[in-house]
Amino acid sequence: MGFFLIVLLVASGVVAVVNGGVGGFPARVLTLERVFPANMTTVDVEVLRTRDRVRHERILQRFSGGIVDFNVVGTSDPYYGGLYFTKVKLGSPAKEFSVQIDTGSDILWVTCSSCSDCPRSSGFGIDLTFFDAGSSSTASTVSCSDSICSSIIQTSDASCSTGNQCGYNFQYGDGSGTSGHFVTDLLHFDTIVGPSLIANSSSSITFGCSTYQTGSLTKPDKAIDGIFGFGQHRLSVVSQLASRGITPNVFSHCFRGDGTGGGKLVLGEILDPNMVYSPLVPSQPHYNLDLQSIAVNGQMLPIATAVFATSDNRGTIVDTGTTLTFLVAEAFEPFVNAINSAVSRVTTPVISKGTQCYLVTSSVTGIFPEVSLNFAGGAAMILKPENYLVHGDPVGGTPWCIGFQKAQNGVSILGDLVLKNKIFVYDLSKKRIGWTDYDCSNDVNVSITSSKDELSDSGSSRTTSVLQALLPHIVAVALGSSLW
């Protein structure tokens, strides 16, 4: 087997075609110029590192539309933690952190090494990692005078009461919370910029370093390194990378619902011909959709559309940080009644610990009805029984219970229970969310598009062959008699 050398022409040079190639390929002669003056005998490593980092970001921007693929771990099953998480690499040298995937919040944060009361072990079987800015050669704190802090502090999440560090204080819907300060450091990832072409990449991002936690975040059985917020705020990782042209302004996930869970998370667009879309409700801090009606077994439930309308403290939100699904009271009761009516002849509905459950030991498929959540734009979200039922207490003899809960306020929340076994695409450029049923244990097709490209009205996208873009700059020089 011979060897070949791939040369990326980045310096000023000339390519000439001459006779005498190998294996039918014409030979190439390259005249390259030195990047540094000839009389410079040594170059400081930091200078090289800085130059290379700038160049790599420029390359990524030139071949914009690269996607980033994250592995997903976890499950929607409440008995096994009820959350999905992924791993991110931060700092220099890079350290790996396990963080919950949360579309209901905006900021990526990880636990600081200075957090004295934070959990030191996890029931998820992972080794907890703590971020130490002093151990990372590329880390820097965000000062109060920084423009990033100035924009954040306009919200209730940030403050500058402690020294000159830009601090934060987040409170979540389950009563848990975290506080700390913002830092800037490198996020390391593999960017897919073309068919079989992957670039080892990094980008400087701003994220939170947690020094104090409360509520469920302090419980070792569900402890994790932090939370990966995928909201629309300019400080979310999605927004930071998309604003620089490193990734498209779209992200997608496909959470596996069976077995041990898992799935896929992509900073990019997962493609599927069966995708349906509904527009995001404008000017909302969360991913609000316009839910208009609910049907059970094809029968529309007697629910006034107005109860789903978006206003202050009302509406319907897509939130991967929520395990179950919550319906406003006006919709919850009709929903449960319709399910009970549909299955009353083949199973016995019972109340267990305040939850509607069912004494059925066989498969729920064919017994429980199909549910349709109908959204603006004619987009229906079809729920199979496993999308609204959860395993009950087997000891108590109630193997299946309704996983929907009554919302304590006017906000309906679509959690992991209904999101699993579906591709979800958050198209922030088009201000819409798309979904379709999918077996998330299978591979997915991902569009490699520029963040500046617009999707066509039909939903198809213009894909970019990065290999073609690179072709004028790539020269294969064969060494030996053949390539193989």
Side-chain angles (χ1 to χ4, degrees):
M1 180 178 71
F3 297 88
F4 66 96
L5 172 66
I6 301 297
V7 181
L8 177 61
L9 181 59
V10 294
S12 173
V14 177
V15 179
V17 179
V18 297
N19 294 326
V22 177
F25 292 97
R28 301 285 198 269
V29 176
L30 292 86
T31 302
L32 302 178
E33 295 180 1
R34 293 177 61 85
V35 175
F36 296 98
N39 61 356
M40 182 179 290
T41 57
T42 61
V43 180
D44 186 84
V45 174
E46 184 58 34
V47 174
L48 291 174
R49 185 185 295 118
T50 301
R51 178 182 65 84
D52 288 346
R53 186 178 302 134
V54 171
R55 177 178 168 273
H56 292 166
E57 290 192 1
R58 186 168 63 248
I59 289 174
L60 285 175
Q61 290 177 3
R62 181 182 305 160
F63 306 119
S64 58
I67 65 143
V68 180
D69 181 22
F70 293 92
N71 291 325
V72 175
V73 185
T75 174
S76 64
D77 192 330
Y79 285 91
Y80 295 95
L83 61 84
Y84 291 95
F85 59 95
T86 188
K87 296 179 183 295
V88 296
K89 293 180 179 179
L90 299 169
S92 301
K95 283 189 174 183
E96 197 169 63
F97 299 84
S98 298
V99 287
Q100 182 180 1
I101 302 166
D102 184 17
T103 60
S105 63
D106 297 302
I107 311 299
L108 166 65
W109 66 262
V110 294
T111 303
C112 251
S113 57
S114 58
C115 185
S116 58
D117 296 327
C118 294
R120 301 287 158 170
S121 62
S122 172
F124 289 113
I126 59 175
D127 293 327
L128 297 181
T129 306
F130 301 89
F131 182 81
D132 183 4
S135 299
S136 174
S137 62
T138 49
S140 61
T141 58
V142 177
S143 68
C144 293
S145 59
D146 193 294
S147 60
I148 295 177
C149 188
S150 300
S151 66
I152 305 170
I153 208 167
Q154 295 174 4
T155 71
S156 59
D157 294 332
S159 66
C160 270
S161 57
T162 305
N164 193 38
Q165 287 185 334
C166 186
Y168 69 81
N169 185 359
F170 301 145
Q171 297 297 320
Y172 297 98
D174 65 352
S176 62
T178 174
S179 60
H181 57 271
F182 288 105
V183 297
T184 297
D185 207 341
L186 291 180
L187 170 69
H188 303 267
F189 49 88
D190 290 335
T191 304
I192 304 172
V193 291
S196 302
L197 185 60
I198 298 177
N200 295 324
S201 312
S202 64
S203 179
S204 179
I205 64 164
T206 299
F207 57 94
C209 198
S210 172
T211 57
Y212 180 72
Q213 296 169 15
T214 61
S216 61
L217 295 175
T218 65
K219 298 179 179 179
D221 60 327
K222 294 185 178 181
I224 205 162
D225 292 328
I227 292 180
F228 199 165
F230 279 83
Q232 303 175 68
H233 191 277
R234 61 168 292 201
L235 204 58
S236 71
V237 171
V238 175
S239 297
Q240 291 187 61
L241 296 182
S243 66
R244 301 170 199 164
I246 297 174
T247 60
N249 198 18
V250 55
F251 70 95
S252 315
H253 60 69
C254 191
F255 295 153
R256 185 177 176 182
D258 60 342
T260 57
K264 299 165 182 65
L265 172 65
V266 172
L267 302 189
E269 180 187 10
I270 298 178
L271 299 176
D272 190 278
N274 300 313
M275 195 77 64
V276 296
Y277 293 90
S278 186
L280 285 167
V281 179
S283 304
Q284 297 298 314
H286 300 289
Y287 292 114
N288 282 73
L289 292 176
D290 183 7
L291 177 61
Q292 298 180 334
S293 63
I294 301 176
V296 174
N297 249 355
Q299 299 296 314
M300 208 68 69
L301 300 185
I303 306 171
T305 303
V307 306
F308 299 120
T310 302
S311 61
D312 291 341
N313 298 318
R314 295 194 70 87
T316 302
I317 296 171
V318 179
D319 178 21
T320 61
T322 296
T323 302
L324 305 175
T325 288
F326 294 79
L327 285 180
V328 292
E330 300 91 334
F332 179 77
E333 299 296 345
F335 174 77
V336 174
N337 291 339
I339 300 298
N340 286 345
S341 177
V343 301
S344 60
R345 293 183 179 180
V346 292
T347 185
T348 304
V350 296
I351 302 297
S352 175
K353 299 179 181 178
T355 301
Q356 182 64 69
C357 299
Y358 304 92
L359 299 177
V360 54
T361 56
S362 59
S363 171
V364 295
T365 303
I367 296 178
F368 286 83
E370 184 178 89
V371 173
S372 176
L373 306 182
N374 305 309
F375 295 87
M381 187 183 299
I382 306 302
L383 305 183
K384 298 176 181 178
E386 57 265 28
N387 288 120
Y388 62 85
L389 295 175
V390 295
H391 290 287
D393 183 3
V395 177
T398 54
W400 290 101
C401 298
I402 286 185
F404 283 25
Q405 302 293 307
K406 183 188 297 184
Q408 299 303 309
N409 49 37
V411 179
S412 296
I413 302 177
L414 307 182
D416 294 334
L417 182 62
V418 301
L419 305 183
K420 67 181 182 181
N421 298 323
K422 288 178 170 57
I423 294 172
F424 264 80
V425 175
Y426 301 73
D427 186 347
L428 305 183
S429 294
K430 287 285 190 179
K431 304 297 182 185
R432 63 182 184 175
I433 293 182
W435 60 83
T436 187
D437 289 343
Y438 198 79
D439 181 352
C440 296
S441 63
N442 293 332
D443 293 337
V444 295
N445 294 321
V446 182
S447 170
I448 304 174
T449 63
S450 168
S451 59
K452 298 177 182 178
D453 284 350
E454 293 291 332
L455 298 177
S456 68
D457 291 338
S458 65
S460 63
S461 59
R462 297 197 300 273
T463 59
T464 303
S465 173
V466 180
L467 290 178
Q468 291 178 354
L470 283 171
L471 191 57
H473 307 291
I474 296 181
V475 177
V477 181
L479 303 179
S481 59
S482 64
L483 293 177
W484 299 101

